[in-house]
Amino acid sequence: MVKKLLFILAVAMVSDLSSQLKAEAALETFKEKYQQEKVHLLFDKNSYLAGENLWFKSFVFDGYDPSMISTNLFVELYDQNKTQIAKTFVPLQNGRGSGSLAIPETLKENIYYIRAYTTWMTNFSEDFQLIRPVEIYNPSSPEKLVKDSLSAWSAVVYPESGTFIEGISTKFAVRLNSKGFTPSEWNGYVIDTEKPDIKITSFTGFDENVGAFELIPQNGKNYQLILSDTKGAKQNINLPKVASSGVHLKVKSGLESVTLTLNGKNLSASGYKIIGTMNSQMVYKAVVPKITGQVLSIPADKLVNGILYISVFDDQENIVAQRLCFVQHESLKIKRPDLQSLTLDENPRASNSFSIAKENESDYSVLIMDGTGKSSEDDNSLLSTLWLTGDVNSKIIAPAQYFKEKSNGEALDALLISEKWKRFDWKMMMLGNYPVIKNKPENYISYKGKVSVQEKPAPNTDLNLVFSNSGQPTGFHQVKTDDKGFFTLNGLIFEDALKVSYQLNTEQKIPKEQVQVIFQPGFDFVPYKGNMPESRYQLVKRTPNESLPDEVAKYVANKKTQQIFNEKTTNIEEVKLKGKKKNLTKELNNQLSSSLFRSVNEVVFDFVNDNTNNVTTNILQWLQGRVAGLDIQSQAGSYVPMLRGSGVGIYLDEMPVSADISTLPVADIAMVKVIKGYFAAGFGGGNGAIAIYTRRGGITGSVNNSARPSMLKQISLKGYQKEAPFISPDYSSEDFKNTPQDVRPVLYWNPYLEVRQEPAKVQFYNNDEAKNYRIIILGYDKNNYVPVYYDDAVK
């Protein structure tokens, strides 16, 4: 969020520190060259049944903004032994993507793990890749999942800023840990080991993660913390030894300012430097001659929500104190979408609807559940990923709790006292030790090809490539090999398999049997080196004829009903297809354009079947005045298309080209399509496009399938896996009204609800039981740099 972060400087002149700028220079290098991505996944459900599909919507951030670094996200499913069960990868547009994973029918009941990462993220610690446990049930498994209620818990104490100095009041964070579940209700007190019967201070834990207390230590004293939970379990923990010297940093993060209080004892440095960073960017710097209870203030309104990392350096640029805190927890910058025309009917299978107005957002992710259902946002929300766990890699139970309405800011502050910043290490950076970049971000799907003639490389040779998908040609491309016979294809976006026919473009006719092209993908899944987290569940033997938990029983019933929905939807589509009249222009559009170049807001000009489309000028000039909002401007001798005042891309057979296409023979044009606004292939833009399609073999005046020329050889390239369709019933149709049972936990799932000038309408049908609904809407307001977030139960 570079555009929102402001640099704040507080200066006290100290000549001894004026030349010590290693930390600042190292940080600048890290910020410019080693951007940090983080991933959030919204699942359609919180747990699954073997044999179901798992749908997800992905959000990839660069700091606090949608990432423009990566164009692919890799998603994998593992068991506890790190055996890979399933995998997929999805394209990212402005940091967002969606997909599905098929959970095998035979998968045994257990805790499994979703891993998500980008290629760029593999250059850094695996700890910052997303690893999310998922409960997968299978009633036919011999064992079932139960909560681990037997594992003991332990605790660790952390003094604020890492120092515990004689006579200086110090706040401690107490962090609970367990292989299983930690207690949500617990308390503690502190004693002097020489007077164990006297409680110096007492406290109650905030939650199942953390608690806090404050203490003024005396030299020579040994302090001990006594903890206990409501079940009688106890822990005795020795506090650190009291130091006779050092620097202590006390931080208070409020609505108006972040206040830093610096105290020290028996210090020898000639001056100190305080640096505050957010998202690897320096936002605050102060230089002080000595530390004697100074109070420094950072205006909170100059910063954004997120973790502020404060470091105190001595005159040799050694870190003597450090602290993490959260900025303006009392005022989280969140935009709630405006739900309009909300119409709800709690009767079984009744229709419900509402609309969402467009507010600096082109699309939203919308999930609507039966109000009794659990969501993946319950424990790990978009907000907690963006502001906490995306940068803090320790085990935090239900981090979403710290960003819900009326959440406890003191609990979050105590949690951050117990954390250490691990995105970068000051000492290593100042020594010049930065991450080694081995894997650069790919440009969507890329392939490296090698051309051989009679098994010898074909250097500096032109090669014609014809692409086809589902039997239909989708583009033509010409490449030239390098000195060793290699070439590269970048920026490909297609699903399943892309057929590539190839032929040498040489005057000398070479038999196709002597020509060979080998393709090597430029993208790949990266093996996970670490171990999966410990599960908080155990497997116990399932007894014969035992009843299933209500949630699992509903999953089993819904799985059967969903099979009926799928069959009915397939039959309906087949009937529609058979009864549909042929439309030559539509058929031409379907033949020439891929699904990524389709839009409900497109204007198609057919030069094959419509004899009225006669072009005697440049094709761009011809379009002037024929499409509302499209303006063809002449700039520096070239024609530049503008749509509603913004430039649009030009594509020739779905490959980007420059605006100078005056040399394109009009007789070779089969179709021109003007797309307004968002379309799937419009990555990096989305304002629209002019797509020009050339005539191919068989396209002479009617639509026919192209016969592949005899000199072409063909190979198949692997693309993105198709996302499984999410089927919901339409109870306005007679085909669904005789469905025997409907206990769907998810009533509506749309990872891309497009919002245009008019509000976007959401319509869904009840199941047989729902009396209230949980509506989750996620997005990002790119104009105000804030997340769009709605998670409410409505009746």
Side-chain angles (χ1 to χ4, degrees):
M1 195 165 289
V2 176
K3 295 180 182 177
K4 289 273 287 182
L5 294 179
L6 300 180
F7 175 64
I8 304 163
L9 177 65
V11 180
M13 295 305 295
V14 183
S15 58
D16 290 345
L17 284 179
S18 61
S19 62
Q20 301 290 343
L21 299 174
K22 287 184 180 179
E24 293 90 327
L27 182 66
E28 183 66 21
T29 298
F30 188 86
K31 178 178 76 73
E32 293 296 328
K33 296 183 178 180
Y34 305 97
Q35 302 98 317
Q36 304 290 292
E37 288 185 318
K38 47 193 170 188
V39 178
H40 178 72
L41 293 183
L42 168 69
F43 300 134
D44 64 306
K45 295 193 300 180
N46 193 49
S47 56
Y48 295 86
L49 194 70
E52 288 186 317
N53 283 317
L54 179 155
W55 281 275
F56 63 85
K57 175 64 182 284
S58 60
F59 298 83
V60 181
F61 292 95
D62 172 12
Y64 301 130
D65 288 331
S67 178
M68 301 300 169
I69 300 171
S70 297
T71 57
N72 292 326
L73 180 72
F74 299 86
V75 181
E76 303 163 348
L77 176 65
Y78 289 90
D79 67 12
Q80 292 182 339
N81 297 320
K82 214 170 67 174
T83 301
Q84 192 177 90
I85 307 299
K87 64 180 181 180
T88 188
F89 76 118
V90 299
L92 297 172
Q93 179 195 10
N94 298 326
R96 288 176 286 192
S98 67
S100 62
L101 286 171
I103 302 173
E105 188 84 39
T106 57
L107 207 60
K108 292 183 178 180
E109 184 165 318
N110 210 335
I111 296 295
Y112 294 84
Y113 297 90
I114 293 289
R115 176 196 180 203
Y117 60 95
T118 66
T119 299
W120 179 250
M121 292 172 69
T122 62
N123 294 300
F124 308 98
S125 171
E126 281 187 331
D127 294 340
F128 291 104
Q129 297 176 16
L130 182 142
I131 301 289
R132 183 77 61 79
V134 176
E135 301 162 37
I136 297 181
Y137 298 99
N138 189 339
S140 63
S141 292
E143 295 178 308
K144 64 178 182 179
L145 280 172
V146 296
K147 287 186 175 182
D148 180 358
S149 58
L150 300 178
S151 293
W153 55 269
S154 61
V156 181
V157 292
Y158 299 89
E160 183 175 16
S161 80
T163 57
F164 190 39
I165 305 166
E166 176 190 2
I168 298 177
S169 179
T170 302
K171 184 178 180 180
F172 274 86
V174 184
R175 188 76 174 266
L176 301 187
N177 300 288
S178 176
K179 177 185 175 182
F181 286 77
T182 54
S184 57
E185 296 182 8
W186 55 286
N187 55 67
Y189 59 90
V190 178
I191 61 168
D192 176 352
T193 55
E194 294 182 353
K195 300 177 181 179
D197 296 331
I198 300 176
K199 296 181 181 179
I200 300 173
T201 185
S202 302
F203 70 96
T204 299
F206 292 123
D207 51 45
E208 59 269 61
N209 288 309
V210 72
F213 65 89
E214 201 156 340
L215 181 68
I216 302 176
Q218 298 179 26
N219 195 23
K221 298 286 187 179
N222 294 315
Y223 297 98
Q224 191 174 68
L225 175 64
I226 314 298
L227 301 175
S228 61
D229 64 16
T230 54
K231 295 181 180 180
K234 286 190 174 183
Q235 286 282 324
N236 294 355
I237 303 168
N238 293 325
L239 269 60
K241 293 290 183 182
V242 180
S244 59
S245 64
V247 174
H248 182 73
L249 171 65
K250 184 179 182 66
V251 177
K252 178 67 175 177
S253 182
L255 188 61
E256 296 182 355
S257 65
V258 178
T259 303
L260 315 180
T261 303
L262 292 163
N263 284 290
K265 193 164 187 179
N266 299 325
L267 303 177
S268 59
S270 59
Y272 294 87
K273 177 170 60 181
I274 302 96
I275 291 179
T277 67
M278 296 188 75
N279 185 31
S280 304
Q281 176 182 342
M282 185 163 66
V283 297
Y284 176 80
K285 178 182 175 181
V287 181
V288 296
K290 55 183 178 179
I291 291 178
T292 54
Q294 285 95 339
V295 178
L296 304 174
S297 182
I298 306 175
D301 63 347
K302 303 295 184 183
L303 303 175
V304 296
N305 294 133
I307 295 176
L308 173 64
Y309 174 29
I310 304 166
S311 306
V312 182
F313 299 83
D314 65 12
D315 53 357
Q316 300 301 311
E317 289 203 288
N318 298 309
I319 293 181
V320 294
Q322 52 190 329
R323 167 81 143 87
L324 303 182
C325 71
F326 194 86
V327 176
Q328 286 194 322
H329 181 268
E330 305 92 331
S331 179
L332 297 177
K333 305 301 187 296
I334 303 170
K335 193 163 189 176
R336 284 172 62 91
D338 181 19
L339 270 59
Q340 303 174 347
S341 306
L342 184 63
T343 303
L344 300 177
D345 185 342
E346 66 180 23
N347 289 314
R349 308 188 185 189
S351 175
N352 305 280
S353 65
F354 60 86
S355 297
I356 307 176
K358 180 178 182 180
E359 295 182 6
N360 302 323
E361 181 68 333
S362 59
D363 65 81
Y364 296 98
S365 303
V366 182
L367 168 64
I368 303 175
M369 309 182 71
D370 184 321
T372 60
K374 297 178 181 179
S375 165
S376 62
E377 291 290 297
D378 290 338
D379 290 338
N380 299 276
S381 68
L382 174 71
L383 305 180
S384 63
T385 298
L386 182 64
W387 289 328
L388 180 61
T389 56
D391 292 311
V392 172
N393 56 24
S394 64
K395 179 183 177 181
I396 302 175
I397 300 171
Q401 65 182 301
Y402 299 110
F403 303 99
K404 293 181 179 179
E405 190 175 358
K406 298 180 180 180
S407 59
N408 190 339
E410 287 296 319
L412 176 59
D413 190 63
L415 185 80
L416 290 175
I417 288 176
S418 69
E419 291 289 349
K420 185 177 180 181
W421 189 255
K422 295 181 180 179
R423 279 294 191 183
F424 61 78
D425 182 282
W426 280 115
K427 184 176 181 180
M428 296 301 290
M429 284 200 311
M430 287 188 286
L431 290 174
N433 295 328
Y434 294 99
V436 177
I437 303 301
K438 297 180 180 179
N439 303 316
K440 294 183 179 180
E442 59 280 294
N443 182 12
Y444 296 104
I445 296 176
S446 61
Y447 278 90
K448 186 174 183 179
K450 182 180 181 180
V451 182
S452 301
V453 177
Q454 292 183 327
E455 301 182 354
K456 294 181 180 181
N460 306 311
T461 302
D462 291 327
L463 183 72
N464 293 336
L465 301 173
V466 178
F467 302 104
S468 61
N469 200 339
S470 301
Q472 301 295 335
T474 60
F476 171 83
H477 195 53
Q478 187 178 84
V479 297
K480 191 178 187 67
T481 63
D482 61 16
D483 292 341
K484 297 182 179 180
F486 290 98
F487 66 92
T488 301
L489 296 176
N490 282 309
L492 301 177
I493 305 171
F494 62 94
E495 294 178 331
D496 288 342
L498 181 69
K499 301 293 185 182
V500 181
S501 301
Y502 59 87
Q503 179 187 37
L504 289 184
N505 186 9
T506 60
E507 293 182 1
Q508 179 185 5
K509 292 187 177 181
I510 301 174
K512 64 179 182 180
E513 291 79 13
Q514 297 180 9
V515 181
Q516 183 181 30
V517 179
I518 299 175
F519 286 92
Q520 180 68 36
F523 59 94
D524 200 5
F525 292 82
V526 178
Y528 188 66
K529 297 177 182 177
N531 295 319
M532 292 298 154
E534 290 184 323
S535 170
R536 297 200 295 162
Y537 288 78
Q538 292 179 326
L539 288 171
V540 299
K541 188 175 181 180
R542 180 176 266 119
T543 58
N545 302 319
E546 69 174 276
S547 59
L548 296 173
D550 289 343
E551 182 181 34
V552 180
K554 287 185 177 181
Y555 282 3
V556 172
N558 179 62
K559 185 179 175 183
K560 296 177 181 178
T561 305
Q562 205 66 47
Q563 291 174 346
I564 297 174
F565 290 156
N566 293 343
E567 291 172 1
K568 288 181 179 293
T569 301
T570 301
N571 292 334
I572 291 172
E573 291 301 321
E574 288 178 353
V575 170
K576 288 181 179 179
L577 184 62
K578 290 177 181 178
K580 189 177 181 181
K581 292 182 179 180
K582 286 188 177 181
N583 182 300
L584 294 179
T585 297
K586 285 185 179 180
E587 193 171 342
L588 180 68
N589 191 8
N590 291 335
Q591 178 179 335
L592 295 180
S593 64
S594 67
S595 59
L596 298 171
F597 277 79
R598 304 279 174 79
S599 170
V600 296
N601 198 10
E602 64 182 27
V603 180
V604 177
F605 297 97
D606 182 351
F607 295 94
V608 173
N609 303 293
D610 190 346
N611 294 327
T612 63
N613 289 331
N614 296 317
V615 183
T616 58
T617 61
N618 179 285
I619 186 63
L620 295 182
Q621 287 179 281
W622 184 85
L623 287 171
Q624 180 73 45
R626 284 179 164 83
V627 179
L630 179 66
D631 182 29
I632 307 299
Q633 300 179 1
S634 178
Q635 298 180 8
S638 297
Y639 294 102
V640 178
M642 308 290 288
L643 194 57
R644 300 190 186 99
S646 299
V648 296
I650 302 177
Y651 297 82
L652 181 62
D653 291 332
E654 301 191 351
M655 296 294 176
V657 296
S658 68
D660 186 13
I661 55 172
S662 57
T663 59
L664 177 67
V666 175
D668 289 347
I669 297 176
M671 182 180 75
V672 176
K673 179 190 299 190
V674 179
I675 302 174
K676 299 179 180 180
Y678 169 85
F679 67 108
F683 294 88
N687 184 55
I690 295 177
I692 303 171
Y693 297 87
T694 58
R695 294 175 182 260
R696 300 152 196 180
I699 301 178
T700 57
S702 60
V703 179
N704 298 305
N705 290 330
S706 303
R708 193 184 326 136
S710 61
M711 287 296 292
L712 292 182
K713 294 180 68 176
Q714 191 177 78
I715 195 170
S716 181
L717 304 182
K718 182 180 179 181
Y720 296 109
Q721 180 179 316
K722 273 190 177 180
E723 183 175 348
F726 189 91
I727 305 298
S728 295
D730 178 4
Y731 283 122
S732 66
S733 169
E734 291 293 331
D735 297 276
F736 290 96
K737 288 186 176 179
N738 60 352
T739 303
Q741 183 182 22
D742 186 352
V743 289
R744 287 171 295 136
V746 180
L747 306 178
Y748 182 91
W749 167 262
N750 189 343
Y752 291 103
L753 177 68
E754 292 188 38
V755 184
R756 303 186 184 277
Q757 298 305 317
E758 297 296 326
K761 185 175 181 180
V762 174
Q763 182 178 19
F764 64 97
Y765 289 91
N766 291 352
N767 59 22
D768 291 338
E769 301 176 349
K771 300 299 180 183
N772 55 70
Y773 315 96
R774 183 174 178 182
I775 301 176
I776 298 174
I777 304 172
L778 306 184
Y780 191 86
D781 184 337
K782 57 181 179 294
N783 288 356
N784 295 299
Y785 308 105
V786 295
V788 176
Y789 198 83
Y790 186 100
D791 185 353
D792 273 342
V794 296
K795 294 185 178 181

